[in-house]
Amino acid sequence: MDFGLDETQREIAELTAAVLAKETDPGQSWRALADAGLLALALPAELGGDGLGVAEVAMVLTEVGRAAGSVPALPALAALGLGVLPLNRLGSPEQRAALLPGVAAGETLLTAAVHEPSNPFTTRPGTTAVTDGGVWRLSGTKIAVPHADTAARILVPASLPTGTGIFLVDPAADGVACTATHTSGGGTEHSVRLDGVVATEAELLTDSRPGEAIAVLHRYALAAAVALGDGALAGALELTTRHVASREQFGRPLAAFQAVAQQIADVYITSRTLHLAALSAVWRLSAGLDPGQDLEVAAYWLAEEAPKALASCHHLHGGLGVDVTYPLHRYYGLVKDLGRFTGGAADRLAALGERVAG
């Protein structure tokens, strides 16, 4: 098992970092990534993509997280982790051709509704799909859906009479109501209510065996979240390290004080642990293996330990850390939102316990 990045992955990470460092307008950063071809990595060659996979997409997400102090990160989670990766795996050629090129061009977004009230990452959705005169009618409520109101399609898991399925729902369709909800980082997120929304078989993703589609969606969603979180924590660590190395008190840099050195070391340990767990989970996914415990460990670490590390970064910055003109609060907000997106530490710990227990 070699977690070292290959040449292609290193070049993708370096290019993403360079693009985000050059683009000073947050509103144009998404288009800049598209112009560099970084949103088309996972698309098949016939759609103008590079035919790469989750490991390469994770490189982009990690660098977006690292730059989250100056660029929006939730669009990347929505479009790549909740849209491109699962649709590329589960969608028909017609579905992929209709939706993926727009995302690669930076013109549209995709997203997914993986949470329901008090039931994150549910494998038995309360949202239902029933047949009615040759079509499906979807009803239910989803929460914490990134960019639901502006997405070209929302991937919506629903319970069918024979199991579960995932539908491509147009947020502008009759019966869909999107209500904006608050986030820690100020990103766009919605609750989505479905009331008899009509869907056809052409809008149902492929499920070759019972439960496969929803399991694939959940894996990609969690992998995208931990990759973003890995980058965000690393970015906050870099920012804090520079601060304590340059800020002086009593004629000495803050980093020279033992208490400060110990705290920044704890943040480093948390960051490296999350990085290793995220890298291991993504490696297993890219190899076609069940990410199993690795993905749950990474998600738990993101939800439980990463916010504590960001609190230490704030403490080491003093009053500067809460200045709205300083980027640290954006890292903190993103990490809090991602931890919540995973379902929270208790939920992820319970999922890990189930994995360990078999």
Side-chain angles (χ1 to χ4, degrees):
M1 185 181 299
D2 181 7
F3 292 154
L5 304 183
D6 61 29
E7 183 178 357
T8 298
Q9 292 165 353
R10 286 195 298 271
E11 290 179 353
I12 289 171
E14 291 169 1
L15 177 59
T16 305
V19 168
L20 295 175
K22 181 179 179 180
E23 184 51 67
T24 58
D25 182 358
Q28 296 299 317
S29 57
W30 191 247
R31 180 53 64 91
L33 291 174
D35 291 343
L38 292 165
L39 304 184
L41 296 176
L43 270 65
E46 61 268 22
L47 295 180
D50 299 290
L52 299 174
V54 62
E56 290 72 27
V57 171
M59 297 297 105
V60 175
L61 290 169
T62 299
E63 293 307 317
V64 170
R66 194 188 305 273
S70 57
V71 303
L74 285 184
L77 172 66
L80 300 178
L82 304 181
V84 169
L85 288 174
L87 183 58
N88 197 43
R89 167 75 180 274
L90 302 168
S92 67
E94 294 77 17
Q95 291 167 337
R96 293 197 297 268
L99 296 172
L100 293 182
V103 179
E107 298 170 353
T108 59
L109 287 177
L110 298 172
T111 191
V114 295
H115 304 308
E116 293 186 347
S118 301
N119 205 355
F121 285 102
T122 176
T123 56
R124 297 177 181 176
T127 300
T128 59
V130 296
T131 55
D132 180 16
V135 299
W136 294 96
R137 289 194 177 273
L138 281 66
S139 297
T141 300
K142 301 291 186 178
I143 62 172
V145 185
H147 293 277
D149 63 335
T150 56
R153 292 292 186 275
I154 306 172
L155 279 68
V156 176
S159 292
L160 311 178
T162 57
T164 58
I166 298 177
F167 292 86
L168 296 169
V169 174
D170 185 345
D174 290 341
V176 180
C178 297
T179 303
T181 53
H182 293 289
T183 63
S184 296
T188 304
E189 189 177 279
H190 293 79
S191 292
V192 179
R193 182 171 178 80
L194 309 167
D195 187 7
V197 178
V198 174
T200 67
E201 287 291 333
E203 294 161 317
L204 181 61
L205 297 185
T206 303
D207 198 356
S208 59
R209 61 180 184 273
E212 178 196 29
I214 196 168
V216 167
L217 176 59
H218 287 178
R219 288 172 185 170
Y220 283 139
L222 280 175
V226 299
L228 261 179
D230 175 20
L233 182 52
L237 173 61
E238 292 169 6
L239 188 68
T240 308
T241 300
R242 290 196 300 269
H243 174 75
V244 298
S246 60
R247 181 65 179 264
E248 291 189 358
Q249 290 287 344
F250 307 109
R252 300 168 60 193
L254 287 175
F257 293 90
Q258 185 180 45
V260 171
Q262 288 172 338
Q263 289 184 68
I264 201 69
D266 287 341
V267 176
Y268 173 81
I269 291 170
T270 300
S271 177
R272 293 301 297 172
T273 302
L274 176 58
H275 176 68
L276 178 59
L279 200 61
S280 177
V282 168
W283 179 86
R284 293 185 66 84
L285 268 176
S286 66
L289 303 173
D290 182 354
Q293 296 180 25
D294 293 350
L295 187 55
E296 295 297 350
V297 167
Y300 170 75
W301 207 258
L302 173 60
E304 177 68 13
E305 298 299 334
K308 298 176 185 177
L310 262 295
S312 294
C313 291
H314 271 293
H315 177 71
L316 292 172
H317 273 88
L320 179 63
V322 294
D323 186 339
V324 295
T325 65
Y326 191 74
L328 183 59
H329 71 93
R330 287 189 282 272
Y331 287 112
Y332 199 15
L334 176 60
V335 166
K336 292 284 284 184
D337 285 333
L338 290 173
R340 178 173 50 83
F341 180 80
T342 67
D347 191 78
R348 297 275 52 93
L349 188 60
L352 177 59
E354 292 174 1
R355 286 275 186 178
V356 172

